[in-house]
């Protein structure tokens, strides 16, 4: 795609894209973009992780969420410089491509981001089926056929909404975000109510306690590596740059506002949880979900255990939809950069959605859903969630370095510029949290290794396919284009 930035800083695409494909539909203004970012970050992380984080650090459960928020915000500054400098789909993979120009590295970054999105969406689909089972009081245990069928049908519905159009997808995101936001605000307000009733004990909030006798530093490190999964999601929005009305103007204030809102909610939820429920109960894997315990302690007569599965359904549905939107736009953008086969850049003429990429990512998600839904071990979902955060931390490290490398690529147009110290701090912090000293479960490194191994094989196949297509294109090209004077005409 070629175009220019107009005098207001907005993107005005003036040239038709190569291959005669229509442009994606620009429907996202600041409000829709904000709800997209907030909805993507909120996801299911805080619902699932509050108890686990408290188990690592005791009453100071808010601290790891705060550290994760700071690291995410530092990295967001790098993304903001790059998305306003290059307002195109494909996000981190595009920035890596422009910074280093190495097909292999670009492909692996694209593959890692795609895997993180599809893995997250697939586990969310299985979680949707589980929440539906709880809400309807059905007995669809792990590995049951009913769980698998519901999860697959749900993902097919997500694909249909994705194909229908980004406008419809974003409207669905608005509804889903408002519902999941209401669930978390309900917990915060119940906490405030409990304070007036004398049920809260805020002295626990400053008590640091690590059950495994780790030092304070490594206990917070281990808890932050868990909490970080709750903060990822802001990076997905840059893949929607070609469907945002004015990405250069809107992204900086909207992304930072979205991060601020979600960071504040997470810290307040963590403080509320610890003040109302003793940490031992909160982190007990045999007990009810941590936030259900919080509501029971703060408002004993409120039937949150009946409401929670349905709020959870909305939260995971939003996570699945946003991640599949991101993954399909990533492949579309990389196809336009000729890193992936041109077929994945196909856009539907009337819906103006990347239908080929949607089909491809949905097919992969079906395979992952089958793998997750047929496992009776619930730990596999936690492992996949941790692997998502691990892959993204590696990608964030590369993005922070890319900002510094691309400073040499000066632009005539205005764009956001991050303070130089932030990408440096971001690269160091993200690289640190990739390491095994964070206390990550080793299965996360195993899964990530297998996924990247598959990525290397696919890169080799893609490289060969692109060589073949280039050779064929050169052979079939018109003699005039090859400079044959006997065939030139005016």
């Amino acid at each position: 795609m070629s175009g220019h930035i107009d005098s207001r800083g907005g993107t005005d695409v003036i040239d038709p894209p190569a291959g005669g494909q229509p442009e994606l539909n620009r429907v996202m203004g600041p409000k829709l973009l904000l709800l997209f970012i907030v909805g993507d970050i909120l996801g299911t992380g805080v619902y699932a992780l509050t108890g686990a984080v408290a188990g690592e650090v005791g009453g100071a459960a808010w601290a790891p969420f705060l550290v994760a928020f700071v690291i995410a915000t530092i990295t967001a500054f790098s993304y903001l410089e790059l998305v306003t400098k290059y307002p195109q789909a494909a996000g981190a993979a595009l920035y890596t491509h422009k910074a280093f120009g190495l097909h292999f590295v670009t492909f692996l970054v694209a593959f890692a981001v795609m895997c993180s999105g599809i893995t997250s969406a697939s586990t969310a689909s299985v979680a949707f089926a589980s929440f539906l089972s709880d809400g309807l009081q059905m007995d669809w245990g792990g590995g049951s056929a009913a769980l698998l069928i519901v999860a697959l049908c749900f993902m097919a519905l997500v694909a249909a909404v994705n194909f229908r159009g980004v406008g419809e997808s974003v409207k669905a995101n608005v509804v889903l975000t408002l519902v999941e936001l209401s669930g978390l605000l309900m917990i915060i307000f119940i906490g405030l109510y409990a304070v007036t009733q004398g049920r809260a004990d805020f002295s626990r909030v400053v008590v640091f306690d690590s059950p495994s006798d780790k030092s304070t530093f490594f206990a917070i490190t281990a808890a932050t590596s868990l909490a970080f999964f709750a903060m990822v999601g802001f990076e997905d929005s840059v893949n929607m740059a070609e469907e945002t009305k004015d990405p250069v103007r809107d992204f900086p204030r909207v992304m930072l506002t979205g991060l601020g809102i979600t960071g504040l909610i997470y810290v307040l939820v963590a403080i509320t949880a610890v003040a109302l429920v003793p940490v031992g109960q909160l982190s007990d894997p045999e007990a009810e979900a941590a936030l259900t315990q919080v509501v029971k302690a703060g408002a004993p007569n409120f039937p949150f255990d009946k409401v929670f599965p349905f709020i959870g359904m909305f939260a995971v549905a939003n996570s699945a939809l946003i991640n599949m939107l991101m993954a399909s736009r990533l492949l579309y953008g990389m196809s336009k950069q000729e890193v992936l086969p041109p077929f994945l850049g196909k856009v539907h003429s009337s819906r103006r959605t990347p239908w080929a990429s949607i089909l491809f990512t949905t097919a992969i998600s079906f395979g992952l859903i089958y793998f997750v839904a047929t496992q009776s071990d619930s730990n596999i979902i936690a492992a996949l969630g941790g692997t998502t955060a691990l892959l993204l931390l590696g990608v964030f490290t590369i993005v922070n370095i890319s900002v510094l490398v691309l400073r040499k690529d000066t632009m005539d147009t205005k764009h956001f510029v991050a303070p130089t110290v932030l990408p440096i701090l971001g690269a160091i912090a993200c690289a640190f949290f990739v390491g095994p000293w964070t206390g990550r479960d080793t299965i996360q490194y195993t899964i990530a290794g297998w996924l990247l191994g598959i990525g290397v094989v696919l890169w080799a196949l893609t490289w060969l396919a692109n060589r073949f297509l280039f050779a064929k294109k050169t052979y079939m090209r018109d003699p005039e284009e090859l400079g044959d004077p006997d065939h030139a005409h005016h």
Side-chain angles (χ1 to χ4, degrees):
M1 180 186 74
S2 58
H4 67 271
I5 309 297
D6 66 22
S7 58
R8 302 184 312 279
T11 304
D12 180 17
V13 179
I14 55 175
D15 300 324
Q21 290 294 314
E23 291 290 334
L24 298 182
N25 201 10
R26 290 187 183 274
V27 300
M28 295 177 73
K31 292 176 184 175
L32 289 179
L33 185 59
L34 178 62
L35 284 167
F36 183 96
I37 292 169
V38 169
D40 198 3
I41 297 173
L42 287 180
T44 53
V46 71
Y47 287 101
L49 294 171
T50 305
V53 170
E56 288 287 344
V57 292
W62 52 271
F65 284 109
L66 186 60
V67 174
F69 163 73
V70 170
I71 295 169
T73 303
I74 289 172
T75 300
F77 273 87
S78 294
Y79 271 94
L80 289 175
E81 176 167 335
L82 293 168
V83 74
T84 55
K85 198 172 183 180
Y86 312 105
Q88 299 160 22
L94 173 71
Y95 314 144
T96 305
H97 188 56
K98 288 187 176 292
F100 305 107
L102 298 172
H103 186 276
F104 178 72
V105 177
T106 301
F107 187 93
L108 280 190
V109 168
F111 188 76
V113 175
M114 183 195 76
C115 283
S116 73
I118 296 177
T119 300
S120 184
S122 302
T123 51
S125 298
V126 177
F128 177 89
S130 297
F131 279 130
L132 183 61
S133 172
D134 292 343
L136 299 178
Q137 297 184 329
M138 308 293 285
D139 186 20
W140 301 342
S144 69
L147 192 78
L148 174 62
I149 291 167
V150 170
L152 290 173
C153 289
F154 171 71
M155 182 53 75
L157 178 63
V158 168
V161 173
N162 196 350
F163 171 75
R164 171 76 184 166
V166 71
E168 288 78 358
S169 299
V170 171
K171 286 171 189 170
N173 167 60
V174 168
V175 174
L176 297 170
T177 298
L178 292 176
V179 173
E180 65 178 326
L181 191 56
S182 68
L184 294 173
L185 291 177
M186 187 192 307
I187 289 160
I188 293 168
F189 287 128
I190 283 172
L192 293 173
Y193 171 74
V195 170
T196 65
Q197 302 299 304
R199 293 198 188 105
D201 180 5
F202 283 98
S203 65
R204 291 197 289 251
V205 172
V206 292
V207 175
F208 178 85
D209 178 34
S210 175
S212 52
D213 295 325
K214 293 176 184 171
S215 68
T216 303
F217 177 77
F218 280 106
I220 289 179
T221 296
T224 302
S225 69
L226 284 172
F228 198 83
F229 179 59
M231 283 309 307
V232 299
F234 66 91
E235 77 288 345
D236 288 344
S237 61
V238 300
N239 291 282
M240 310 301 290
E242 291 185 36
E243 287 155 300
T244 304
K245 290 178 181 177
D246 196 342
V248 177
R249 183 195 66 192
D250 294 341
F251 262 99
R253 57 197 174 100
V254 171
M255 187 182 285
L256 294 176
T257 301
L259 274 163
I261 290 170
T262 51
L264 179 63
I265 288 172
Y266 282 169
V267 169
L268 289 176
V269 167
I271 290 172
T272 302
V274 173
L276 289 179
V277 182
V279 172
Q281 289 175 232
L282 206 61
S283 58
D284 184 358
E286 301 299 318
E288 289 181 292
L291 299 190
T292 302
Q293 293 184 57
V294 171
V295 175
K296 279 190 173 179
N301 298 323
F302 187 80
F304 191 70
D305 55 332
K306 302 286 192 298
V307 176
F308 178 71
F310 295 100
I311 293 176
M313 279 169 58
F314 279 91
V316 296
N318 205 23
S319 180
L321 176 60
I322 290 176
N323 276 286
M324 294 307 286
L325 275 168
M326 178 278 294
S328 57
R329 270 59 178 184
L330 169 65
L331 297 193
Y332 159 80
M334 283 292 90
S335 173
K336 286 177 67 176
Q337 294 292 324
E338 298 184 349
V339 173
L340 296 176
F343 168 75
L344 293 171
K346 297 284 186 185
V347 177
H348 194 270
S349 57
S350 58
R351 304 291 353 144
R352 288 168 71 186
T353 49
W355 64 268
S357 292
I358 291 169
L359 284 177
F360 185 79
T361 49
T362 302
I364 296 174
S365 72
F366 277 5
L368 261 175
I369 287 170
Y370 178 81
F371 170 70
V372 174
T374 52
Q375 303 292 316
S376 56
D377 182 5
S378 60
N379 290 332
I380 194 70
I381 292 181
L384 288 171
T387 305
T388 298
L390 176 63
L391 289 171
L392 286 177
L393 281 163
V395 170
F396 291 168
T397 305
I398 294 171
V399 169
N400 281 308
I401 294 168
S402 296
V403 172
L404 301 172
V405 173
L406 287 168
R407 289 276 169 91
K408 68 181 187 299
D409 184 10
T410 54
M411 309 286 278
D412 295 331
T413 51
K414 289 179 67 176
H415 62 83
F416 182 89
V417 179
T420 303
V421 68
L422 292 183
I424 296 170
L425 288 175
I428 293 168
C430 292
F432 173 80
F433 278 99
V434 169
W437 44 81
T438 57
R440 287 183 180 282
D441 190 331
T442 53
I443 193 173
Q444 295 175 22
Y445 293 102
T446 305
I447 295 171
W450 274 103
L451 287 173
L452 292 176
I454 293 168
V456 171
V457 173
L458 289 177
W459 168 79
L461 293 173
T462 303
W463 184 80
L464 290 170
N466 281 348
R467 293 269 299 200
F468 172 76
L469 288 170
F470 178 77
K472 185 177 179 182
K473 192 186 297 182
T474 304
Y475 177 76
M476 298 293 289
R477 193 177 295 168
D478 189 272
E480 175 191 347
E481 293 181 59
L482 296 175
D484 186 341
D486 294 332
H487 288 82
H489 53 273
H490 302 283

